[in-house]
Amino acid sequence: MDGSEATRPDLGPLVAEWRAAIGDEHVITHRHQLRTYESDGLLQYAVIPGAVLLPGSTAEVQAVVRSCHRAGVPWVARGAGSGLSGGATPVADGVLISLNRMRRILEVDLDNQRVAVEPGVTNVAVSQAVGPDHFYPPDPSSQIVCTIGGNVAENSGGAHCFKYGFTTNYVTGLELVLPDGEVVQVGGKELDPPGYDLVGAFVGSEGTLGIATKVWLRVVPKPEAIRTLVAFFGSTSQAGEVVSEIVAGGIVPGAIEMMDNLSIRAAEDYSRAGYPPDAGAALVVELDGSEAECSARFEQVVGICEQAGADSIRVARDEAEREVIWKARKAAFAAMGRVAPNYYVQDSVIPRTRLAEVLGRIEELAREYDVRVANVFHAGDGNLHPLVCYDGRKEGQAERAEECAGQIVKACVDAGGSITGEHGVGIDKKRYMPAMFSDADLGVFQRLRCAFDPEQRANPGKVMPTPRLCGEVPGPYRRHPLEQAGLAERF
Amino acid sequence: MAVATAEGVVDALRRAGEDGTPVRFRGGGTKLGWAANRGEVPVEISMAGLDRILEHNVGDLTAVLEAGVPLARAQAAFAEADQMLSIDPPDGGATVGGIVAAGDSGPLRSRYGGVRDLVVGIKVALSDGTVARAGGKVIKNVAGYDLAKLFAGSLGTLGAILEVTVRLHPLPPATATAAGGTRDRAVLGRAVSKLSHAPLEHMGLDVRWGGGDGAVLARFGGAAAREQAEAAARMLANEGVEAQVVEDDDAIWRVQREGQRSPRWAVARISARQTDLPAVFAATDRLGGRLAGRAPLGLCWVKLEDRSPQEADAAIDELRRDYMVTVLDAPPDLGADHWGRLDPGARELMRRVRERFDPAGVCNPGAAP
């Protein structure tokens, strides 16, 4: 080993063990190579891991996790590294376990509408594998690169989750490597298997309970019809009223997305989708379902937009026009580069009925902190993505932007919302956890963590705002030796 | 023990935890005959006093309910705003908290998911006096662990559910059901498979089987319910199942739900797959049962009518050779365990979870993994 190898000297003896277990070429210790993994999609955080391990099978994941368990080495699992909360930020005194080599679709069982995949399979590959008649509904914007393993960790959503739900509503089974190296299967293809819903507990646990090495997913028939329109309004509050009207009308759109003027202008410069640059708000509404239901409901939506005084309404007549409408929405994040060199993206959620009030508060905050805030959001479920723009090269701007972003999160929680709708807590939002949860609440989260990972080696330092110990299981209940031996059961 | 407030429940549970006295939580008392609730416990904590609808946020399609609110009362309140909680197990006075703890579900499950999918926030009390919340009041939220899912279906073995926040859906303005029958298991299996794979937005796609005779029920709701039911009836006809469209369909579905419960006989819930359905129909005939099931989900409830406890035990054993089976209603002399044999690794993990949540081991201990 030369001087450029593993940053943590005591990992040295383990390196040989890992090389033997998963192959020399799958153990990365050179510093310049390790740098590739220093951040996930949230570049504000960068930590060079002690080593990067790329196991290629459940047995190899088990081997490296077991060896970390024995040696007391913490680890962080990573999929595509496209997460936006720093959830896959490495730890310097531990290893990063990349699941990117595990990218096989193991089984497509369309008869039962199930797919079994390894964690490194991309989100979009699942829909491709079950097309053209079926699809996998959760569709995060990063779906071309993000992996199912990462989606499971983050409970990823997407534009269509108001109607279709989130990752957690589609995972029916998991094969897990637990932090002590044991492999267990929870759930499978079937629903409601006997016992606790550990699948439900694991999805969204942000890599702190173990590593999913096999994932069973439910897929659903593609809707018969899709109708899409974009309507332009003078203001976001006017568009917000329309959202409320649509929902009050008993309509559950497949997607309902809003952009404010700043994001419209930025996205239009970038995408040339034909959005009027002076519009105060753009509302993309997409209905899907059976032909008959869709047509009836779509007329209702057009009527609501007209009655609310939409400046103009564009209805997609075919798939190409639908793609153009979506192009601007999907370009919104990337287009922010034209507004400012850097931005903070927030992921707060509010009850939809508080939209106008919270957007007003965001405007005030932007003025107060002298930053520009663009708003792009999943309006159906109240998931805001305020983009706080700043120039990191200018003294103090990054700090101001961060503070403003923090105040926005607080305003959303005060309105009865959440600090994160789909990006996860990770490192970035753990400081906001106490705004949403009491000490007792956090203590109960910790109980679940301790049941899976009493030594807290899995993704340490994430989610929880302050470190907590696990300790021994308290209380009088101890399993009887006969019970432990499997000779007796406790009733 | 009847307690009128959440504080009363918290106190009673903490005292039981301190003394090591086993307790059971009672909602509407509709599932006391379940296998999971077999055996006496010294203390029963009634949740009936926790019966307030704390919030109904009409514009946000959410509600916060105390655990002891009867489902029927909550539904009546939501219906006034043309909304519903998309949970419809056979009712008979069951409370929201009891339904969540039991993980019970009905025909709406095929479209809207189970209680695990509709509870977005939960408040619980643990046996050491801890009171905590998880989740939130918005439908989209990934902050913290999803403890609502852990408690859903945990049969009161982790702690007391005090309060749940649920997602609501619009109540469809009209419904219509395509209903058809056949005596051919394979034909019924193919017909429901066809509908399960079709781009129809049903709000229930169920099967019935018993005594060599079966039926399919496909329900639609919305602005074009009848057209959709007619389309489904045509698809069924193409598969060899003659079907009628019924617009006044509440009674049909009430009967279907009742197929999941019995005050007298054992009821087994089978976690099967869609493709297992014809074989499950055959097993139902062989064992002399009657089946109600969710075709797209593969979930089936088999009622073992007129079977002695010994015969029912033998039938459940036989089903467990091929399927995962949870025993729900259980006559007094039935011996079968509610969950049966769990995978040893998963069971160990469940026990570790329980040790952390209920270290005193007092919460409905007979049902624990």
Side-chain angles (χ1 to χ4, degrees):
Chain A
M1 225 191 291
D2 62 47
S4 67
E5 292 222 345
T7 47
R8 184 178 134 167
D10 58 324
L11 292 183
L14 291 172
V15 168
E17 200 178 314
W18 294 330
R19 285 182 170 149
I22 66 174
D24 283 0
E25 67 275 36
H26 303 129
V27 178
I28 297 171
T29 55
H30 282 280
R31 198 175 166 82
H32 66 276
Q33 283 177 300
L34 294 176
R35 288 198 70 108
T36 312
Y37 295 89
E38 67 183 3
S39 297
D40 63 7
L42 188 65
L43 301 172
Q44 281 94 329
Y45 301 94
V47 175
I48 296 177
V52 174
L53 310 177
L54 294 125
S57 66
T58 301
E60 290 187 6
V61 172
Q62 181 178 32
V64 299
V65 169
R66 200 169 255 165
S67 114
C68 288
H69 176 65
R70 266 198 310 268
V73 174
W75 48 267
V76 176
R78 169 179 162 129
S82 57
L84 293 171
S85 57
T89 307
V91 283
D93 61 346
V95 298
L96 188 79
I97 301 174
S98 164
L99 283 311
N100 266 306
R101 285 178 60 224
M102 295 182 67
R103 48 173 73 237
R104 284 179 304 164
I105 291 178
L106 300 169
E107 189 191 357
V108 177
D109 177 3
L110 273 189
D111 286 343
N112 286 307
Q113 299 176 313
R114 295 290 185 273
V115 181
V117 300
E118 290 186 328
V121 168
T122 61
N123 173 290
V124 78
V126 177
S127 279
Q128 284 165 353
V130 299
D133 297 329
H134 284 73
F135 79 116
Y136 176 64
D139 59 342
S141 320
S142 55
Q143 68 182 143
I144 295 167
V145 294
C146 68
T147 64
I148 292 297
N151 291 177
V152 166
E154 302 297 315
N155 187 16
S156 304
H160 289 82
C161 56
F162 176 51
K163 174 169 177 177
Y164 286 98
F166 317 93
T167 301
T168 191
N169 307 115
Y170 291 88
V171 178
T172 60
L174 295 167
E175 177 188 78
L176 303 175
V177 174
L178 300 177
D180 62 2
E182 288 303 304
V183 176
V184 297
Q185 183 182 326
V186 293
K189 287 184 183 177
E190 300 82 3
L191 299 182
D192 290 357
Y196 297 151
D197 184 358
L198 296 183
V199 173
F202 189 91
V203 176
S205 61
E206 303 199 26
T208 62
L209 301 182
I211 299 179
T213 47
K214 183 173 177 182
V215 185
W216 282 266
L217 299 169
R218 188 167 69 85
V219 294
V220 299
K222 258 198 193 154
E224 189 179 30
I226 299 179
R227 298 267 192 287
T228 310
L229 65 75
V230 57
F232 301 98
F233 296 91
S235 68
T236 49
S237 55
Q238 202 184 356
E241 286 296 312
V242 169
V243 176
S244 295
E245 289 277 314
I246 289 172
V247 173
I251 303 167
V252 183
I256 180 157
E257 302 275 306
M258 202 194 294
M259 294 165 71
D260 70 358
N261 176 262
L262 186 53
S263 25
I264 292 171
R265 274 185 290 148
E268 183 53 28
D269 272 357
Y270 190 86
S271 68
R272 306 272 167 219
Y275 281 30
D278 56 339
L283 192 66
V284 176
V285 185
E286 186 161 283
L287 299 189
D288 62 15
S290 80
E291 194 76 55
E293 188 69 21
C294 230
S295 301
R297 297 299 202 176
F298 197 68
E299 272 174 43
Q300 220 178 322
V301 171
V302 172
I304 291 169
C305 291
E306 280 169 351
Q307 220 154 32
D311 295 326
S312 63
I313 301 173
R314 233 167 76 193
V315 175
R317 281 164 303 186
D318 53 32
E319 182 56 28
E321 290 192 5
R322 174 180 176 238
E323 271 169 27
V324 173
I325 288 178
W326 275 105
K327 204 169 147 196
R329 166 61 186 90
K330 288 184 176 168
F333 280 25
M336 281 304 139
R338 297 179 175 239
V339 174
N342 310 91
Y343 63 83
Y344 251 108
V345 56
Q346 279 300 354
D347 177 41
S348 321
V349 187
I350 52 166
R352 190 180 35 237
T353 47
R354 309 285 293 270
L355 191 66
E357 172 196 335
V358 173
L359 288 179
R361 176 74 187 131
I362 291 175
E363 257 172 56
E364 268 173 41
L365 287 166
R367 269 198 303 276
E368 194 178 314
Y369 286 90
D370 192 24
V371 289
R372 302 176 83 188
V373 181
N375 285 293
V376 177
F377 43 89
H378 307 303
D381 43 37
N383 187 192
L384 308 182
H385 288 312
L387 299 149
V388 183
C389 302
Y390 66 97
D391 186 344
R393 294 163 306 192
K394 293 195 179 142
E395 180 75 26
Q397 272 216 13
E399 291 74 19
R400 269 213 321 277
E402 191 185 340
E403 220 172 295
C404 179
Q407 291 298 319
I408 291 174
V409 172
K410 196 175 168 301
C412 293
V413 174
D414 288 347
S418 165
I419 61 173
T420 176
E422 56 187 4
H423 295 172
V425 176
I427 288 188
D428 194 44
K429 300 187 198 73
K430 63 180 187 174
R431 71 199 124 149
Y432 306 134
M433 285 288 273
M436 222 177 136
F437 297 109
S438 72
D439 207 49
D441 303 342
L442 296 169
V444 173
F445 289 153
Q446 181 70 1
R447 294 182 193 224
L448 183 69
R449 173 77 192 270
C450 294
F452 279 74
D453 183 17
E455 279 122 15
Q456 305 188 76
R457 301 255 159 71
N459 213 7
K462 312 290 167 66
V463 184
M464 296 295 263
T466 47
R468 283 166 189 261
L469 295 173
C470 279
E472 286 295 297
V473 176
Y477 173 51
R478 288 283 180 278
R479 281 193 295 152
H480 189 274
L482 276 178
E483 239 185 286
Q484 261 166 348
L487 299 172
E489 300 203 15
R490 180 186 159 89
F491 285 104
Chain B
M1 180 183 303
V3 277
T5 60
E7 291 71 30
V9 172
V10 174
D11 269 353
L13 178 54
R14 190 189 49 228
R15 277 201 305 276
E18 281 166 5
D19 304 344
T21 310
V23 295
R24 181 176 294 145
F25 311 105
R26 177 191 175 126
T30 60
K31 301 176 189 78
L32 294 176
W34 277 22
N37 293 326
R38 207 181 266 145
E40 295 290 313
V41 288
V43 177
E44 189 176 72
I45 299 177
S46 167
M47 312 297 281
L50 279 68
D51 64 347
R52 290 175 300 166
I53 297 175
L54 298 173
E55 294 177 28
H56 175 198
N57 306 303
V58 174
D60 295 312
L61 286 157
T62 58
V64 184
L65 308 168
E66 284 192 315
V69 174
L71 177 65
R73 188 152 70 76
Q75 296 289 28
F78 302 147
E80 283 181 27
D82 292 324
Q83 297 182 353
M84 64 175 178
L85 171 55
S86 307
I87 298 174
D88 62 339
D91 186 335
T95 60
V96 170
I99 291 166
V100 172
D104 206 5
S105 60
L108 288 173
R109 172 92 187 256
S110 302
R111 165 77 173 269
Y112 299 99
V115 288
R116 73 183 296 281
D117 301 297
L118 296 166
V119 177
V120 299
I122 196 163
K123 182 177 170 188
V124 298
L126 305 182
S127 61
D128 62 359
T130 301
V131 176
R133 288 175 188 279
K137 277 205 238 169
V138 281
I139 60 174
K140 192 173 186 185
N141 167 32
V142 295
Y145 295 131
D146 196 346
L147 300 184
K149 290 192 175 53
L150 185 65
F151 274 75
S154 65
L155 298 168
T157 62
L158 297 173
I161 298 171
L162 299 178
E163 202 178 291
V164 292
T165 303
V166 291
R167 175 181 189 172
L168 306 176
H169 284 96
L171 195 63
T175 60
T177 296
T182 173
R183 299 185 69 83
D184 187 323
R185 292 192 294 264
V187 165
L188 184 59
R190 270 199 304 276
V192 293
S193 170
K194 190 83 182 176
L195 290 190
S196 297
H197 288 72
L200 296 166
E201 280 194 331
H202 57 76
M203 55 183 288
L205 175 49
D206 262 34
V207 286
R208 252 180 228 177
W209 191 268
D213 197 7
V216 47
L217 302 170
R219 191 182 208 187
F220 299 86
R226 188 174 178 95
E227 286 99 311
Q228 294 187 78
E230 281 166 354
R234 284 193 297 275
M235 292 181 78
L236 288 171
N238 286 339
E239 299 301 316
V241 179
E242 286 311 316
Q244 293 178 318
V245 172
V246 184
E247 276 178 304
D248 190 10
D249 58 0
D250 280 347
I252 302 178
W253 287 94
R254 196 164 50 243
V255 170
Q256 180 69 4
R257 285 196 292 271
E258 280 161 9
Q260 295 174 216
R261 292 298 306 272
S262 172
R264 221 177 136 192
W265 310 111
V267 175
R269 187 181 68 209
I270 305 177
S271 296
R273 305 172 186 180
Q274 281 183 38
T275 49
D276 293 328
L277 288 176
V280 177
F281 300 154
T284 302
D285 280 344
R286 202 164 57 240
L287 303 172
R290 303 197 74 81
L291 173 149
R294 311 281 103 84
L297 311 180
L299 282 175
C300 297
W301 284 255
V302 174
K303 194 187 288 191
L304 296 162
E305 284 177 349
D306 297 317
R307 302 287 102 180
S308 69
Q310 295 73 25
E311 288 170 326
D313 271 327
I316 290 161
D317 277 348
E318 187 180 330
L319 288 170
R320 280 186 167 152
R321 279 200 283 276
D322 295 315
Y323 310 105
M324 289 184 286
V325 173
T326 303
V327 177
L328 307 182
D329 286 299
D333 293 323
L334 191 84
D337 181 69
H338 61 298
W339 279 335
R341 181 178 290 277
L342 300 170
D343 168 82
R347 183 187 193 204
E348 174 57 28
L349 194 52
M350 289 173 200
R351 288 182 165 199
R352 272 159 38 192
V353 169
R354 176 154 192 269
E355 279 180 0
R356 293 284 172 180
F357 279 78
D358 177 22
V362 296
C363 296
N364 205 14

